Amino acid sequence: MRDLPNFLDVADVLGEFSADRRDLFELRVQRWWPDLHAGLSEVYSPQEVEELEARLLYLAATAVRDRDPELARLDQARTLDPGWFQREKMLGYACYADRFAGSLDGVREQISYLKELGVTYLHLMPILKPRDGDSDGGYAVADYRSVRGDLGTVDDLKRLSAALRAEGISLVADLVLNHVAKEHVWAQAARAGNPKYRDYFLTFPDRYMPDAYERTLPEVFPDFAPGNFTWDEDLQSWVWTTFNSFQWDVNWANPEVFYEYADVILFLAGLGVEVLRLDAIAFIWKALGTNCQNQPQVHSITQALRALVRIAAPAVIFKAEAIVAPQDLVHYLGQGKHHGKVSDLAYHNSLMVQIWSMLASKDARLGAHSLQHLPPVPPTTAWITYVRCHDDIGWAIDDRDAGAVGLNGYQHRAFLSDFYTGQFPGSTARGLVFQYNPATGDRRVSGSAAALVGLDAAVEAGDRVATQQSIDRLLLAYAIVLGWGGIPVIWMGDEIGLPNDQMWASEPGHADDNRWVHRPRMPWGRAEARRYPGTVSARMFSGLTHLIKVRKSAPFLDASVPAQVLELSDPGVLPVLRRHPLGSFLALYNVTPEWRPWPSWRLGGLGLWDSVDLLSGRHVNVADDGNVWLAPYASLWLVPREH
Ligand code: GLC
């Protein structure tokens, strides 16, 4: 095993560096090469590793040589402040560029709106060139090196990333690395008979292996893309297609594929992308007899890619999009030998699911139990916390967790589907069933946050009390994600309580996929109404911006400090503690429509006897019965008065 590569192999490139830059490059390689080497060696043969490493060193050296000076400066700044993304000041926003503002230039013109919210992280949904027609919302990429035609050009993207950077906003982009569109040049070359490219995919001449794999494989889109393999006439083979038939899974067991994606990553880094969302990362490694998700090799590959990026473009961090069971999820932030060496960020899917579950059942017991049993994550990482995103909600509730609090997992998941589609008695939620799977009974749910909390129904009925209560529910959900630590991300429209898009099915290619119901175009008129007190837009916007402002002033929320769910005193109140060196931060959330107590004696043990609620700015109020009483759907963020 070689500990360090041979710099002589890249002497021609390094010859163009100043002495300082060369020194810096060599130091970075020294720092990160062991991670790169270890990751690659867990996946590829020694000979493959040796060849690959030589090429990767060259790739990294040229990327450093060609790095835009402004980005090189950001590399330095981030190296000096590696916890930059963990701060309480971070706030994310996610949207489709076209649906938010028409184009990349349009987004640039709306930076002031994002600033008004306090955004520091902007995730633009897939912006690279997709296949024509249905492209799974852009997740079927036809060319990683060009931008979707209607959004603009690569130069527009660079201009946008620079404009965002100047305003302190990091651009987040998708890196779809499990599959490409079947129109991508690699797939085209494979179909044309080029054996090199055929090896980029997983193809099988007959059903023997596909059938063997299918025995343990789940289906992601059982409705519109059943099975995991698609017959291709040109290849005369079955191709692995986990998602839609037009999304061909790539073969990460082939080191060429690793090299290609390394190259793509450094290209995107060069455009000024600061966070790469590793789309569907859980699926990239296949192993017979498993569900082909969360395999150990996934983490080895991520570790190697991350080490390379640390060498070539350390301003860039990774975000894992792994919507998996709680115990698998924590691995994406690094457990065991990968501790702190894989993704810097990961979606806190469990928290999101538990928030919806608590709101439906008006009970925090299952949520508290599951969140308490999540293994700790490295203090150098951060969760992405969120209430809604562009996808459906799958009820990732562990059967054992449910059992531990006296629930039946299957029945509780069924209850949540019933509740959020308005079928449960008394529920006014307006979600739609997405991908009913008769084999498992799973019914995932689409719908905007407002539709799910009952706001759509309340507004339509002209019910002022129900409207306010729905707004309170949504603000409570956002208080939990803003008060957790990590990067809270607002899904476009939630800040003004946007309803379901009634016209979702009428756009070409959307009718089969009801996730479009919660991917509306931004109605700027309605956004304008945020300035008119009393409107739903204004009530949501001001409630949310208040939470954001308070969060940004609370260093207690730095993600390096873990959030710890305490034992419950009342089944309707979720207590979340963060032990920051400045003092304790205790958040209390009432997930019910009734007044609920929290015994004040517990404050003493937490150093919060004399505490203030950051959200109201008031001293904590203890009633004569010794309880702190929380109003329906209220949130308290308690900290020591002197801190
Ligand atoms: C991710 C995306 C989802 C997409 C899938 C396939 O899960 O969030 O929208 O369908 O990947 O790329």
Side-chain angles (χ1 to χ4, degrees), residues 136 139 179 221 243 247 277 279-280 321 390-391 515:
D136 186 21
Y139 285 104
H179 43 260
F221 296 141
F243 293 86
Q247 287 163 301
R277 173 185 179 278
D279 178 68
E321 189 252 349
H390 70 291
D391 275 329
R515 289 177 296 175

